[in-house]
Amino acid sequence: MKKRLIAIICYALFWLAFFFMARMFFILMQYHSSFQNSIGDLSDTFWHGAKLDISTIGYYLLIPLLFIIPGAFFNGNWYRILVRWYTYILIVFSSMIIVSDANLYSYWGFRMDYTPMLYLKTPGEAMASVSTMKIIMFLITICLIASLFIYFYNKLIDRLFSNLNRIRYRLPGILFFMLLCGSLIIPIRGGFGVAPINAGTVYFSKNMFLNHTAINVVWNVGSSAFAQRPLKNPYEFGDLSIATDIVDSLTVKKGITEKVLNTSKPDIILIVLESFSGYLIGPLGGDSLVTPNINRYAKEGILFSDFYASGTRTDKAIPAILDGYPAQPAQSIIKEPKKSQSLPSLVKILIENGYHSSFWYGGEINFANFNSFVIGSGFHDIITKRNFDPVNYNSKWGVHDHILFQTLKDSMKSVKEPFIKVVLTLSSHEPFDVPMEPVFKGSDVMAKYKNAIYYTDKTLGSFLDWAKGTDWWKNSLIIMVADHCARIYSDMPNYKQNVFKIPMLWVGGALSRSGLRIEKLGGQVDIPTTLLDQLGISSNFPFSKDLLSDQSKSFAFYTYNEGFGFITDSSAVGFDLKNRMSVLSEGKDPDSAEKKGKAYLQVLFNDYLKR
């Protein structure tokens, strides 16, 4: 029995060393952020993070301790072989998560959770953002780490499980190991407290990077996997009726709408621009050289200059834009057809009012459950990657934007009016490879990103210039809006406004106003109500407001995986949901903004759970 106990203790220490290495690997991979902190602060991440390390080790010990009990009755090497192969599998699995997380953090700004696993249903599209060299380096790194720890396991631990004969005093031995196995609930739960351990347990600093470093990413993936569909609202901040009153006051539907269209039934093209960040858009205070065509058309259209993305990914943007439904922090309603198909739909309402609808995307429609959502939205025509000649598959994601827009132009030589066409671009997605000689020199990520945006802007400008010469232009409304921003550098805080500020621009012959700048704060969820009010069509999007109404409130709400942001004309807050604390507090009355943001999220998630 003593030999078995020593083997189990050493086995646990092996995994503790493994997770020590994992945290060190993350620190080195994120050296830009890491080296802005002192050695002492980085050391603290190991101490505080040990809580989740030990919890993960508790899970890993379950199988060895369960199978050690029948070992009381049998001799032989079967137990050693079982533990060896079980450990090999865990090492490879854990290494894959650790390496993936260390790479994804630079782009996402939060530790990896179960989200990327959802994309493995379409592995080709999931890997499309990554260059071949990065994939090779990714696989090599996984192999190196896994091989290294398999070697250490074989050298130091495996031999401890050899020659484990039957326990001499079987009953006491069995009871002891049964008790030891049952006691794993203590480290797994994180102690004897009423509340089980969670990611926020290891938060110890006002610096979110240090808190993130303390998280055990393997634990985080497993925890989020089991928490995919909460049965109870995790964002209950107070009385629901009070929260509902606050949200109703924010999304008041009364007021006088300023009419900016000269027709009540325009032809509509809604272009969703992949990763068009506000900080690169000249009229929004960004680089004036990156989007010359948007800059040009902003002078003759209507620019919404204080406009925000609802979330951080396309699968969260599409329900916001088309259904007026805000992004949830850790969930994505588009992946749950039963829920998403219960949402009020801009496209369905327009179809009911005589519009012909089509959805245009040069990529794989099955990615992130887009297919189910698009079909559920009722589009008459759905054009995707499979509708293009494979010879044009010159982008990792599918066909480049100039092919997409050329095909769209060809289809519009004869059109059925009125129409609503939703176009989703893709060339400005990572890895930012576009069929164009670089305009911005350099091999860094920002240079590549600027070139990708420039290319799509050029393609967009060419399409708009062509459209102005068509017969249907005089009755057209073209809405251009980004799906989300791109977080290029890891030192861009993922809760800051500039990571969510995006452009929305209306142009077309159906506009009765030109060169107008709307400065009221708003977001993607406000598009359906704002548009339908212009068309004189009644609607009920509970989280949406009319940006052109004199009574609608000026605010924007956005979420990221670990929190939310709420902006008013006078204040801005970012709230971390894991640690239940503000990470951003600016302006005259941030407390009021935080209260409104909490109410908005509480009511939103309550609505999400009921669908």
Side-chain angles (χ1 to χ4, degrees), residues 108 110 113 115 118-119 228 235 272 308-335 343 367-368 370 373 482-484 500 524-525 558-563 577 601 604-605 608:
W108 289 8
F110 57 86
D113 54 19
T115 302
L118 300 174
Y119 298 120
Q228 280 297 295
Y235 311 124
V272 182
Y308 290 81
S310 187
T312 56
R313 299 195 307 271
T314 308
D315 58 284
K316 296 196 173 190
I318 296 300
I321 293 170
L322 297 182
D323 294 350
Y325 204 73
Q328 307 84 53
Q331 280 70 33
S332 181
I333 198 168
I334 200 173
K335 296 186 176 74
L343 298 174
F367 185 60
F370 274 30
F373 180 84
D483 56 353
H484 54 78
F500 291 88
Q524 291 166 331
V525 295
Y558 58 79
T559 65
Y560 53 101
N561 271 46
E562 297 171 329
L577 293 164
L601 178 58
L604 166 64
F605 211 82
Y608 166 83

Short mmCIF file of all heavy atoms in Angstrom, two decimals, residues 108 110 113 115 118-119 228 235 272 308-335 343 367-368 370 373 482-484 500 524-525 558-563 577 601 604-605 608:
data_model
loop_
_atom_site.label_atom_id
_atom_site.label_comp_id
_atom_site.label_asym_id
_atom_site.label_seq_id
_atom_site.Cartn_x
_atom_site.Cartn_y
_atom_site.Cartn_z
N TRP A 108 -7.42 37.16 -29.00
CA TRP A 108 -8.70 37.20 -28.31
C TRP A 108 -8.66 38.00 -27.01
O TRP A 108 -9.66 38.57 -26.61
CB TRP A 108 -9.20 35.78 -28.03
CG TRP A 108 -9.64 35.07 -29.27
CD1 TRP A 108 -9.51 35.50 -30.56
CD2 TRP A 108 -10.30 33.80 -29.33
NE1 TRP A 108 -10.03 34.57 -31.42
CE2 TRP A 108 -10.52 33.52 -30.70
CE3 TRP A 108 -10.71 32.89 -28.39
CZ2 TRP A 108 -11.15 32.37 -31.13
CZ3 TRP A 108 -11.33 31.73 -28.81
CH2 TRP A 108 -11.55 31.47 -30.17
N PHE A 110 -8.38 36.74 -24.03
CA PHE A 110 -8.85 35.96 -22.89
C PHE A 110 -8.34 34.53 -23.04
O PHE A 110 -7.99 34.10 -24.14
CB PHE A 110 -10.38 35.98 -22.78
CG PHE A 110 -11.11 35.48 -24.00
CD1 PHE A 110 -11.36 34.13 -24.18
CD2 PHE A 110 -11.56 36.36 -24.97
CE1 PHE A 110 -12.02 33.67 -25.30
CE2 PHE A 110 -12.23 35.92 -26.09
CZ PHE A 110 -12.47 34.57 -26.26
N ASP A 113 -11.29 28.97 -23.90
CA ASP A 113 -12.34 28.18 -23.27
C ASP A 113 -12.84 27.16 -24.28
O ASP A 113 -12.11 26.79 -25.20
CB ASP A 113 -13.47 29.08 -22.75
CG ASP A 113 -14.03 29.98 -23.84
OD1 ASP A 113 -13.82 29.69 -25.04
OD2 ASP A 113 -14.67 30.99 -23.50
N THR A 115 -14.95 27.50 -26.60
CA THR A 115 -15.39 28.09 -27.86
C THR A 115 -14.68 27.51 -29.08
O THR A 115 -15.33 27.13 -30.05
CB THR A 115 -15.20 29.62 -27.82
OG1 THR A 115 -15.94 30.15 -26.73
CG2 THR A 115 -15.68 30.26 -29.11
N LEU A 118 -15.94 24.33 -30.73
CA LEU A 118 -17.15 24.35 -31.53
C LEU A 118 -16.85 24.49 -33.01
O LEU A 118 -17.66 24.14 -33.86
CB LEU A 118 -18.06 25.52 -31.08
CG LEU A 118 -18.51 25.48 -29.62
CD1 LEU A 118 -19.26 26.76 -29.27
CD2 LEU A 118 -19.41 24.27 -29.38
N TYR A 119 -15.66 25.03 -33.31
CA TYR A 119 -15.30 25.24 -34.71
C TYR A 119 -14.66 24.02 -35.34
O TYR A 119 -14.42 24.00 -36.55
CB TYR A 119 -14.35 26.43 -34.83
CG TYR A 119 -14.95 27.72 -34.35
CD1 TYR A 119 -14.38 28.42 -33.30
CD2 TYR A 119 -16.09 28.24 -34.94
CE1 TYR A 119 -14.92 29.61 -32.85
CE2 TYR A 119 -16.65 29.44 -34.48
CZ TYR A 119 -16.06 30.11 -33.44
OH TYR A 119 -16.61 31.28 -32.99
N GLN A 228 -21.79 25.08 -20.82
CA GLN A 228 -22.22 25.67 -22.08
C GLN A 228 -23.67 26.15 -22.04
O GLN A 228 -24.01 27.15 -22.64
CB GLN A 228 -22.06 24.65 -23.22
CG GLN A 228 -20.64 24.54 -23.72
CD GLN A 228 -20.16 25.85 -24.32
OE1 GLN A 228 -20.66 26.31 -25.32
NE2 GLN A 228 -19.19 26.46 -23.69
N TYR A 235 -25.98 36.03 -14.30
CA TYR A 235 -25.75 37.48 -14.24
C TYR A 235 -26.91 38.18 -13.52
O TYR A 235 -27.45 39.16 -13.99
CB TYR A 235 -25.59 38.04 -15.66
CG TYR A 235 -24.62 37.27 -16.50
CD1 TYR A 235 -25.00 36.73 -17.74
CD2 TYR A 235 -23.31 37.03 -16.06
CE1 TYR A 235 -24.10 36.01 -18.51
CE2 TYR A 235 -22.42 36.29 -16.83
CZ TYR A 235 -22.83 35.78 -18.05
OH TYR A 235 -21.94 35.06 -18.80
N VAL A 272 -21.73 43.54 -44.70
CA VAL A 272 -21.05 43.32 -43.43
C VAL A 272 -19.56 43.15 -43.72
O VAL A 272 -19.15 42.20 -44.37
CB VAL A 272 -21.60 42.09 -42.70
CG1 VAL A 272 -20.92 41.92 -41.35
CG2 VAL A 272 -23.12 42.20 -42.51
N TYR A 308 -20.88 50.80 -32.26
CA TYR A 308 -20.09 49.73 -31.63
C TYR A 308 -20.57 48.34 -32.02
O TYR A 308 -21.78 48.11 -32.23
CB TYR A 308 -20.13 49.88 -30.10
CG TYR A 308 -19.35 51.09 -29.63
CD1 TYR A 308 -19.91 52.36 -29.68
CD2 TYR A 308 -18.03 50.96 -29.20
CE1 TYR A 308 -19.18 53.48 -29.30
CE2 TYR A 308 -17.31 52.07 -28.81
CZ TYR A 308 -17.88 53.32 -28.87
OH TYR A 308 -17.15 54.42 -28.49
N ALA A 309 -19.61 47.43 -32.10
CA ALA A 309 -19.92 46.02 -32.32
C ALA A 309 -20.51 45.44 -31.05
O ALA A 309 -20.18 45.86 -29.94
CB ALA A 309 -18.66 45.26 -32.72
N SER A 310 -21.38 44.46 -31.22
CA SER A 310 -22.00 43.83 -30.06
C SER A 310 -21.07 42.84 -29.38
O SER A 310 -21.14 42.64 -28.17
CB SER A 310 -23.29 43.12 -30.49
OG SER A 310 -24.00 42.63 -29.38
N GLY A 311 -20.18 42.23 -30.17
CA GLY A 311 -19.27 41.25 -29.61
C GLY A 311 -17.95 41.22 -30.36
O GLY A 311 -17.60 42.20 -31.03
N THR A 312 -17.26 40.11 -30.28
CA THR A 312 -15.90 40.03 -30.81
C THR A 312 -15.76 39.07 -31.99
O THR A 312 -14.66 38.92 -32.50
CB THR A 312 -14.94 39.57 -29.70
OG1 THR A 312 -15.41 38.32 -29.16
CG2 THR A 312 -14.88 40.59 -28.58
N ARG A 313 -16.87 38.45 -32.41
CA ARG A 313 -16.77 37.49 -33.51
C ARG A 313 -17.95 37.66 -34.47
O ARG A 313 -19.01 38.19 -34.10
CB ARG A 313 -16.75 36.05 -32.98
CG ARG A 313 -15.58 35.73 -32.07
CD ARG A 313 -15.42 34.23 -31.90
NE ARG A 313 -16.64 33.58 -31.46
CZ ARG A 313 -16.99 33.42 -30.18
NH1 ARG A 313 -16.21 33.88 -29.21
NH2 ARG A 313 -18.11 32.81 -29.86
N THR A 314 -17.79 37.15 -35.67
CA THR A 314 -18.84 37.26 -36.68
C THR A 314 -20.10 36.53 -36.26
O THR A 314 -21.21 37.00 -36.52
CB THR A 314 -18.34 36.72 -38.03
OG1 THR A 314 -17.09 37.33 -38.36
CG2 THR A 314 -19.33 37.01 -39.15
N ASP A 315 -19.95 35.37 -35.62
CA ASP A 315 -21.14 34.61 -35.23
C ASP A 315 -21.96 35.34 -34.17
O ASP A 315 -23.14 35.04 -33.98
CB ASP A 315 -20.75 33.21 -34.74
CG ASP A 315 -19.79 33.23 -33.58
OD1 ASP A 315 -18.59 33.49 -33.80
OD2 ASP A 315 -20.22 33.01 -32.45
N LYS A 316 -21.34 36.31 -33.49
CA LYS A 316 -22.10 37.13 -32.54
C LYS A 316 -22.63 38.40 -33.20
O LYS A 316 -23.63 38.98 -32.75
CB LYS A 316 -21.22 37.48 -31.34
CG LYS A 316 -20.79 36.26 -30.54
CD LYS A 316 -20.26 36.62 -29.17
CE LYS A 316 -20.01 35.36 -28.36
NZ LYS A 316 -19.72 35.63 -26.94
N ALA A 317 -21.97 38.82 -34.28
CA ALA A 317 -22.39 40.04 -34.96
C ALA A 317 -23.64 39.83 -35.80
O ALA A 317 -24.53 40.70 -35.83
CB ALA A 317 -21.26 40.54 -35.86
N ILE A 318 -23.74 38.70 -36.49
CA ILE A 318 -24.85 38.48 -37.42
C ILE A 318 -26.22 38.51 -36.73
O ILE A 318 -27.14 39.18 -37.19
CB ILE A 318 -24.64 37.17 -38.20
CG1 ILE A 318 -23.39 37.29 -39.09
CG2 ILE A 318 -25.86 36.86 -39.06
CD1 ILE A 318 -23.45 38.40 -40.11
N PRO A 319 -26.41 37.82 -35.58
CA PRO A 319 -27.71 37.94 -34.89
C PRO A 319 -27.97 39.37 -34.40
O PRO A 319 -29.13 39.80 -34.36
CB PRO A 319 -27.58 36.97 -33.71
CG PRO A 319 -26.53 36.00 -34.13
CD PRO A 319 -25.56 36.80 -34.93
N ALA A 320 -26.91 40.10 -34.05
CA ALA A 320 -27.10 41.49 -33.61
C ALA A 320 -27.56 42.36 -34.77
O ALA A 320 -28.50 43.15 -34.64
CB ALA A 320 -25.79 42.03 -33.03
N ILE A 321 -26.92 42.20 -35.92
CA ILE A 321 -27.23 43.03 -37.09
C ILE A 321 -28.60 42.69 -37.68
O ILE A 321 -29.39 43.58 -38.01
CB ILE A 321 -26.13 42.87 -38.16
CG1 ILE A 321 -24.81 43.46 -37.65
CG2 ILE A 321 -26.54 43.54 -39.46
CD1 ILE A 321 -23.61 43.13 -38.52
N LEU A 322 -28.89 41.41 -37.83
CA LEU A 322 -30.11 41.00 -38.52
C LEU A 322 -31.29 40.75 -37.60
O LEU A 322 -32.45 40.82 -38.04
CB LEU A 322 -29.84 39.72 -39.33
CG LEU A 322 -28.81 39.85 -40.47
CD1 LEU A 322 -28.68 38.54 -41.21
CD2 LEU A 322 -29.18 40.98 -41.41
N ASP A 323 -31.02 40.48 -36.33
CA ASP A 323 -32.12 40.17 -35.40
C ASP A 323 -32.18 41.13 -34.22
O ASP A 323 -33.01 40.94 -33.32
CB ASP A 323 -31.97 38.74 -34.87
CG ASP A 323 -32.17 37.70 -35.97
OD1 ASP A 323 -32.59 38.08 -37.07
OD2 ASP A 323 -31.88 36.51 -35.72
N GLY A 324 -31.28 42.11 -34.19
CA GLY A 324 -31.30 43.06 -33.08
C GLY A 324 -31.05 42.41 -31.74
O GLY A 324 -31.52 42.90 -30.71
N TYR A 325 -30.29 41.30 -31.73
CA TYR A 325 -30.09 40.56 -30.49
C TYR A 325 -28.64 40.67 -30.04
O TYR A 325 -27.73 40.24 -30.74
CB TYR A 325 -30.47 39.09 -30.67
CG TYR A 325 -30.84 38.42 -29.37
CD1 TYR A 325 -32.05 38.72 -28.74
CD2 TYR A 325 -30.00 37.50 -28.76
CE1 TYR A 325 -32.41 38.11 -27.55
CE2 TYR A 325 -30.35 36.88 -27.57
CZ TYR A 325 -31.56 37.20 -26.96
OH TYR A 325 -31.91 36.61 -25.77
N PRO A 326 -28.42 41.24 -28.86
CA PRO A 326 -27.04 41.47 -28.39
C PRO A 326 -26.26 40.18 -28.16
O PRO A 326 -26.84 39.12 -27.87
CB PRO A 326 -27.25 42.22 -27.05
CG PRO A 326 -28.65 42.73 -27.10
CD PRO A 326 -29.42 41.73 -27.90
N ALA A 327 -24.96 40.27 -28.29
CA ALA A 327 -24.08 39.14 -28.02
C ALA A 327 -24.08 38.83 -26.54
O ALA A 327 -24.16 39.72 -25.69
CB ALA A 327 -22.66 39.46 -28.49
N GLN A 328 -23.99 37.53 -26.23
CA GLN A 328 -23.86 37.10 -24.84
C GLN A 328 -22.37 36.87 -24.56
O GLN A 328 -21.62 36.53 -25.46
CB GLN A 328 -24.64 35.81 -24.61
CG GLN A 328 -26.10 35.87 -25.03
CD GLN A 328 -26.28 35.59 -26.51
OE1 GLN A 328 -25.82 34.58 -27.03
NE2 GLN A 328 -26.95 36.49 -27.21
N PRO A 329 -21.94 37.04 -23.31
CA PRO A 329 -20.51 36.94 -23.02
C PRO A 329 -19.88 35.61 -23.42
O PRO A 329 -18.89 35.58 -24.14
CB PRO A 329 -20.45 37.15 -21.50
CG PRO A 329 -21.65 37.98 -21.19
CD PRO A 329 -22.72 37.49 -22.14
N ALA A 330 -20.42 34.50 -22.97
CA ALA A 330 -19.77 33.20 -23.20
C ALA A 330 -20.55 32.32 -24.17
O ALA A 330 -20.03 31.31 -24.62
CB ALA A 330 -19.58 32.47 -21.88
N GLN A 331 -21.78 32.67 -24.48
CA GLN A 331 -22.59 31.88 -25.38
C GLN A 331 -22.68 32.57 -26.75
O GLN A 331 -22.33 33.73 -26.90
CB GLN A 331 -24.01 31.70 -24.82
CG GLN A 331 -24.14 30.63 -23.76
CD GLN A 331 -23.47 31.00 -22.46
OE1 GLN A 331 -23.42 32.16 -22.09
NE2 GLN A 331 -22.94 30.02 -21.76
N SER A 332 -23.15 31.82 -27.74
CA SER A 332 -23.40 32.37 -29.06
C SER A 332 -24.71 31.78 -29.55
O SER A 332 -24.78 30.60 -29.89
CB SER A 332 -22.25 32.03 -30.02
OG SER A 332 -22.48 32.58 -31.30
N ILE A 333 -25.74 32.60 -29.59
CA ILE A 333 -27.09 32.09 -29.87
C ILE A 333 -27.20 31.51 -31.27
O ILE A 333 -28.05 30.67 -31.54
CB ILE A 333 -28.13 33.20 -29.64
CG1 ILE A 333 -29.53 32.59 -29.48
CG2 ILE A 333 -28.08 34.25 -30.75
CD1 ILE A 333 -30.56 33.56 -28.97
N ILE A 334 -26.32 31.93 -32.18
CA ILE A 334 -26.37 31.41 -33.54
C ILE A 334 -26.09 29.92 -33.57
O ILE A 334 -26.49 29.21 -34.51
CB ILE A 334 -25.36 32.18 -34.43
CG1 ILE A 334 -25.72 32.02 -35.92
CG2 ILE A 334 -23.95 31.69 -34.19
CD1 ILE A 334 -24.87 32.88 -36.84
N LYS A 335 -25.41 29.39 -32.56
CA LYS A 335 -25.07 27.97 -32.50
C LYS A 335 -26.20 27.13 -31.92
O LYS A 335 -26.08 25.91 -31.82
CB LYS A 335 -23.79 27.77 -31.69
CG LYS A 335 -22.56 28.43 -32.31
CD LYS A 335 -21.32 28.08 -31.53
CE LYS A 335 -20.07 28.65 -32.19
NZ LYS A 335 -19.97 30.10 -32.00
N LEU A 343 -35.99 34.31 -32.60
CA LEU A 343 -35.74 35.75 -32.53
C LEU A 343 -36.55 36.50 -33.58
O LEU A 343 -36.82 35.98 -34.67
CB LEU A 343 -34.24 36.03 -32.77
CG LEU A 343 -33.25 35.45 -31.76
CD1 LEU A 343 -31.83 35.71 -32.23
CD2 LEU A 343 -33.48 36.06 -30.38
N PHE A 367 -19.71 27.01 -41.33
CA PHE A 367 -18.85 27.49 -40.26
C PHE A 367 -19.67 28.18 -39.18
O PHE A 367 -20.49 29.05 -39.46
CB PHE A 367 -17.80 28.44 -40.83
CG PHE A 367 -16.78 28.89 -39.82
CD1 PHE A 367 -15.96 27.98 -39.18
CD2 PHE A 367 -16.62 30.23 -39.52
CE1 PHE A 367 -15.01 28.38 -38.27
CE2 PHE A 367 -15.68 30.65 -38.61
CZ PHE A 367 -14.86 29.72 -37.98
N ALA A 368 -19.44 27.78 -37.91
CA ALA A 368 -20.09 28.40 -36.74
C ALA A 368 -21.61 28.37 -36.84
O ALA A 368 -22.30 29.22 -36.30
CB ALA A 368 -19.61 29.84 -36.57
N PHE A 370 -23.58 28.95 -39.31
CA PHE A 370 -24.19 29.98 -40.14
C PHE A 370 -25.33 29.43 -41.00
O PHE A 370 -26.33 30.10 -41.22
CB PHE A 370 -23.13 30.62 -41.05
CG PHE A 370 -22.38 31.75 -40.41
CD1 PHE A 370 -22.16 31.78 -39.06
CD2 PHE A 370 -21.88 32.78 -41.19
CE1 PHE A 370 -21.46 32.81 -38.47
CE2 PHE A 370 -21.17 33.82 -40.61
CZ PHE A 370 -20.96 33.83 -39.24
N PHE A 373 -28.63 29.28 -39.29
CA PHE A 373 -29.15 30.62 -39.03
C PHE A 373 -29.67 31.27 -40.30
O PHE A 373 -30.77 31.86 -40.30
CB PHE A 373 -28.06 31.49 -38.40
CG PHE A 373 -28.51 32.89 -38.09
CD1 PHE A 373 -29.19 33.16 -36.91
CD2 PHE A 373 -28.29 33.93 -38.98
CE1 PHE A 373 -29.62 34.45 -36.62
CE2 PHE A 373 -28.72 35.21 -38.70
CZ PHE A 373 -29.38 35.48 -37.52
N ALA A 482 -19.28 47.06 -40.02
CA ALA A 482 -18.31 46.01 -39.67
C ALA A 482 -18.96 44.97 -38.78
O ALA A 482 -19.94 45.24 -38.08
CB ALA A 482 -17.11 46.63 -38.95
N ASP A 483 -18.42 43.75 -38.82
CA ASP A 483 -18.92 42.71 -37.92
C ASP A 483 -18.28 42.82 -36.54
O ASP A 483 -18.93 42.62 -35.52
CB ASP A 483 -18.70 41.31 -38.50
CG ASP A 483 -17.25 41.01 -38.85
OD1 ASP A 483 -16.40 41.92 -38.78
OD2 ASP A 483 -16.96 39.85 -39.22
N HIS A 484 -17.00 43.19 -36.51
CA HIS A 484 -16.28 43.36 -35.24
C HIS A 484 -14.94 44.00 -35.56
O HIS A 484 -14.59 44.21 -36.72
CB HIS A 484 -16.07 42.02 -34.53
CG HIS A 484 -15.41 40.98 -35.37
ND1 HIS A 484 -14.05 40.96 -35.61
CD2 HIS A 484 -15.91 39.91 -36.07
CE1 HIS A 484 -13.74 39.95 -36.39
NE2 HIS A 484 -14.86 39.29 -36.69
N PHE A 500 -14.02 47.76 -29.88
CA PHE A 500 -15.40 47.51 -30.29
C PHE A 500 -15.97 48.59 -31.22
O PHE A 500 -17.00 48.37 -31.85
CB PHE A 500 -16.31 47.38 -29.06
CG PHE A 500 -16.04 46.15 -28.25
CD1 PHE A 500 -15.08 46.15 -27.26
CD2 PHE A 500 -16.72 44.97 -28.50
CE1 PHE A 500 -14.80 45.01 -26.52
CE2 PHE A 500 -16.45 43.82 -27.77
CZ PHE A 500 -15.49 43.84 -26.78
N GLN A 524 -24.78 47.57 -33.26
CA GLN A 524 -25.35 46.71 -34.30
C GLN A 524 -26.81 46.34 -34.03
O GLN A 524 -27.60 46.22 -34.97
CB GLN A 524 -24.51 45.44 -34.42
CG GLN A 524 -23.12 45.69 -34.98
CD GLN A 524 -22.19 44.50 -34.77
OE1 GLN A 524 -22.35 43.75 -33.80
NE2 GLN A 524 -21.22 44.33 -35.65
N VAL A 525 -27.16 46.17 -32.77
CA VAL A 525 -28.53 45.76 -32.45
C VAL A 525 -29.55 46.83 -32.82
O VAL A 525 -30.75 46.55 -32.91
CB VAL A 525 -28.67 45.42 -30.95
CG1 VAL A 525 -27.85 44.21 -30.58
CG2 VAL A 525 -28.31 46.61 -30.06
N TYR A 558 -21.73 46.28 -25.15
CA TYR A 558 -21.02 45.21 -25.84
C TYR A 558 -20.53 44.19 -24.83
O TYR A 558 -20.45 44.47 -23.63
CB TYR A 558 -19.84 45.77 -26.66
CG TYR A 558 -18.81 46.55 -25.87
CD1 TYR A 558 -17.84 45.91 -25.11
CD2 TYR A 558 -18.80 47.95 -25.90
CE1 TYR A 558 -16.88 46.63 -24.40
CE2 TYR A 558 -17.86 48.68 -25.20
CZ TYR A 558 -16.90 48.03 -24.45
OH TYR A 558 -15.96 48.74 -23.75
N THR A 559 -20.24 42.99 -25.32
CA THR A 559 -19.75 41.94 -24.44
C THR A 559 -18.51 41.29 -25.03
O THR A 559 -18.28 41.30 -26.24
CB THR A 559 -20.81 40.83 -24.22
OG1 THR A 559 -21.06 40.16 -25.46
CG2 THR A 559 -22.09 41.39 -23.66
N TYR A 560 -17.70 40.74 -24.15
CA TYR A 560 -16.60 39.87 -24.53
C TYR A 560 -16.70 38.66 -23.62
O TYR A 560 -17.57 38.61 -22.73
CB TYR A 560 -15.25 40.58 -24.40
CG TYR A 560 -14.98 41.22 -23.06
CD1 TYR A 560 -14.17 40.60 -22.12
CD2 TYR A 560 -15.55 42.46 -22.72
CE1 TYR A 560 -13.92 41.18 -20.89
CE2 TYR A 560 -15.31 43.04 -21.49
CZ TYR A 560 -14.49 42.40 -20.57
OH TYR A 560 -14.25 42.99 -19.35
N ASN A 561 -15.88 37.65 -23.81
CA ASN A 561 -16.08 36.38 -23.12
C ASN A 561 -16.10 36.49 -21.61
O ASN A 561 -16.70 35.67 -20.93
CB ASN A 561 -15.02 35.36 -23.54
CG ASN A 561 -15.46 34.57 -24.74
OD1 ASN A 561 -15.96 35.14 -25.71
ND2 ASN A 561 -15.30 33.26 -24.70
N GLU A 562 -15.46 37.50 -21.07
CA GLU A 562 -15.34 37.58 -19.61
C GLU A 562 -16.05 38.80 -19.02
O GLU A 562 -15.94 39.05 -17.83
CB GLU A 562 -13.86 37.63 -19.22
CG GLU A 562 -13.11 36.38 -19.61
CD GLU A 562 -11.61 36.53 -19.42
OE1 GLU A 562 -11.12 37.67 -19.56
OE2 GLU A 562 -10.95 35.53 -19.14
N GLY A 563 -16.78 39.54 -19.82
CA GLY A 563 -17.41 40.71 -19.26
C GLY A 563 -18.22 41.50 -20.26
O GLY A 563 -18.54 41.04 -21.35
N LEU A 577 -16.85 39.83 -15.36
CA LEU A 577 -17.88 38.99 -14.77
C LEU A 577 -17.32 37.87 -13.91
O LEU A 577 -18.01 37.37 -13.03
CB LEU A 577 -18.76 38.40 -15.87
CG LEU A 577 -19.60 39.43 -16.64
CD1 LEU A 577 -20.13 38.84 -17.93
CD2 LEU A 577 -20.75 39.93 -15.76
N LEU A 601 -27.57 43.35 -19.21
CA LEU A 601 -27.08 41.98 -19.34
C LEU A 601 -28.01 41.01 -18.62
O LEU A 601 -28.29 39.91 -19.13
CB LEU A 601 -25.67 41.87 -18.79
CG LEU A 601 -25.04 40.47 -18.82
CD1 LEU A 601 -25.01 39.92 -20.25
CD2 LEU A 601 -23.64 40.49 -18.23
N LEU A 604 -31.09 40.60 -20.73
CA LEU A 604 -30.72 39.89 -21.96
C LEU A 604 -30.58 38.39 -21.71
O LEU A 604 -31.15 37.57 -22.45
CB LEU A 604 -29.40 40.45 -22.50
CG LEU A 604 -28.69 39.61 -23.58
CD1 LEU A 604 -29.53 39.52 -24.83
CD2 LEU A 604 -27.31 40.20 -23.88
N PHE A 605 -29.83 38.02 -20.67
CA PHE A 605 -29.59 36.60 -20.45
C PHE A 605 -30.83 35.90 -19.95
O PHE A 605 -31.03 34.71 -20.21
CB PHE A 605 -28.42 36.39 -19.49
CG PHE A 605 -27.67 35.13 -19.78
CD1 PHE A 605 -26.70 35.09 -20.77
CD2 PHE A 605 -27.94 33.96 -19.08
CE1 PHE A 605 -26.02 33.92 -21.06
CE2 PHE A 605 -27.27 32.79 -19.36
CZ PHE A 605 -26.30 32.77 -20.35
N TYR A 608 -32.53 35.13 -23.06
CA TYR A 608 -31.80 34.04 -23.75
C TYR A 608 -32.19 32.68 -23.17
O TYR A 608 -32.42 31.72 -23.91
CB TYR A 608 -30.30 34.30 -23.62
CG TYR A 608 -29.42 33.12 -23.97
CD1 TYR A 608 -29.09 32.83 -25.28
CD2 TYR A 608 -28.91 32.29 -22.96
CE1 TYR A 608 -28.27 31.75 -25.60
CE2 TYR A 608 -28.11 31.21 -23.27
CZ TYR A 608 -27.79 30.95 -24.59
OH TYR A 608 -27.00 29.88 -24.89
#
